[in-house]
């Protein structure tokens, strides 16, 4: 059995696991939109791509669910690791009036310096800046691992053939593959009404009542 995270499998024993966190990013966007005073939000990312664009677009869609007039600023540092440029782009966005940023570069120093709220990605990044990171869209790998183990076990014990997937497989909020991180010490800063709205929307996603749009188009400032 072979696991792949990006390339299309070529054999039945190759499994293509993927990860999308756009559902949780939508919820984070709701928080950002509901807490914004300026009506302007930003994103500082590494590279644009299918599983990055969907997260960014969902973030702004969630923000506009709370405030339709949200303005968006988008910048990519074009590097997997460039804290200097990440700080520069964050500061530049703040200078335009942005008061909430989805930070995809892992550098929250500018968030602390400018005393603005930021939002993390893929893991609970509150520990980087406890007074600034409200929440994060967290990728959870438990269902992916369990799926692969079950496939191997059924093959090893029952002789069932592998059925590798030719299309990427990711697990949703309802399936336990993604979640919104706790608010930690910032819980008191989030209005109760807003927390209730986010919790209601999250339940609607889990129950299949509301489906967060999957939008992989290149996000731009507007």
């Amino acid at each position: 059995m072979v696991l792949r995270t990006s390339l299309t499998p070529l054999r039945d024993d190759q499994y293509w696991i993927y990860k999308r966190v756009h559902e949780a990013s939508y919820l984070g966007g709701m928080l950002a939109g509901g807490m914004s005073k300026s009506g302007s939000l930003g994103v500082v990312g590494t590279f644009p791509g299918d599983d990055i664009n969907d997260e960014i677009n969902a973030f702004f869609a969630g923000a506009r669910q709370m405030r339709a007039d949200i303005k968006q600023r988008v910048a990519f540092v074009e590097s997997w690791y460039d804290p200097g440029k990440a700080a520069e782009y964050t500061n530049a966005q703040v200078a335009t009036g942005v008061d909430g940023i989805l930070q995809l570069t892992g550098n929250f120093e500018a968030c602390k310096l400018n005393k603005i709220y930021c939002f993390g990605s893929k893991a609970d990044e509150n520990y980087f800046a406890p007074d600034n990171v409200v929440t994060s869209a967290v990728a959870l790998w438990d269902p992916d691992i369990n799926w692969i183990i079950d496939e191997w076990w059924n093959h090893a014990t029952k002789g069932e053939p592998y059925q590798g997937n030719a299309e990427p497989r990711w697990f949703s909020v309802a399936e336990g593959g993604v979640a919104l991180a706790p608010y930690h010490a910032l819980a008191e800063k989030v209005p109760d009404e807003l927390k209730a709205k986010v919790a209601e929307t999250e339940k609607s996603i889990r129950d299949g009542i509301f489906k967060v749009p999957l939008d992989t188009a290149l996000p731009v400032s507007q």
Side-chain angles (χ1 to χ4, degrees):
M1 176 183 287
V2 179
L3 303 185
R4 292 177 180 263
T5 57
S6 60
L7 301 177
T8 303
L10 302 176
R11 305 193 310 262
D12 290 341
D13 65 343
Q14 294 181 329
Y15 287 77
W16 190 4
I17 57 175
Y18 207 64
K19 189 57 65 175
R20 292 192 184 278
V21 297
H22 66 297
E23 293 171 311
S25 187
Y26 182 94
L27 298 173
M30 290 180 64
L31 287 162
M35 297 175 72
S36 176
K37 292 182 173 61
S38 69
S40 183
L41 300 174
V43 171
V44 178
T46 50
F47 292 97
D50 178 276
D51 58 343
I52 298 297
N53 299 347
D54 64 340
E55 181 178 2
I56 294 174
N57 291 324
F59 178 80
F60 286 122
R64 293 192 175 95
Q65 175 67 22
M66 303 305 300
R67 183 168 175 172
D69 64 345
I70 285 291
K71 297 178 182 178
Q72 68 183 53
R73 298 288 181 265
V74 181
F76 294 97
V77 301
E78 298 292 343
S79 171
W80 294 121
Y81 182 74
D82 192 332
K85 187 177 288 187
E88 176 188 345
Y89 285 9
T90 301
N91 289 329
Q93 291 189 356
V94 173
T96 69
V98 165
D99 63 357
I101 289 181
L102 174 60
Q103 186 58 265
L104 303 180
T105 68
N107 184 0
F108 295 92
E109 291 304 310
C111 299
K112 293 190 286 186
L113 177 65
N114 292 289
K115 298 181 180 180
I116 62 170
Y117 290 127
C118 284
F119 301 81
S121 173
K122 301 302 191 294
D124 185 349
E125 298 187 301
N126 176 267
Y127 66 94
F128 281 119
D131 295 327
N132 305 90
V133 180
V134 180
T135 187
S136 306
V138 180
L140 302 173
W141 292 95
D142 304 65
D144 307 73
I145 295 171
N146 289 335
W147 172 45
I148 297 302
I149 290 175
D150 287 344
E151 289 288 301
W152 168 80
W153 181 254
N154 289 334
H155 176 76
T157 63
K158 303 176 185 178
E160 294 183 4
Y162 289 124
Q163 298 182 28
N165 50 313
E167 295 296 328
R169 173 74 165 96
W170 65 86
F171 290 83
S172 65
V173 163
E175 297 170 307
V178 60
L180 193 68
Y183 305 138
H184 299 288
L186 290 174
E188 296 181 357
K189 300 292 186 180
V190 182
D192 290 339
E193 184 178 353
L194 179 56
K195 282 190 281 192
K197 182 63 177 177
V198 171
E200 177 186 348
T201 303
E202 182 175 11
K203 185 177 185 304
S204 294
I205 294 172
R206 290 185 183 279
D207 293 344
I209 298 172
F210 174 64
K211 185 174 182 179
V212 177
L214 178 59
D215 182 359
T216 61
L218 177 66
V220 297
S221 298
Q222 59 185 49

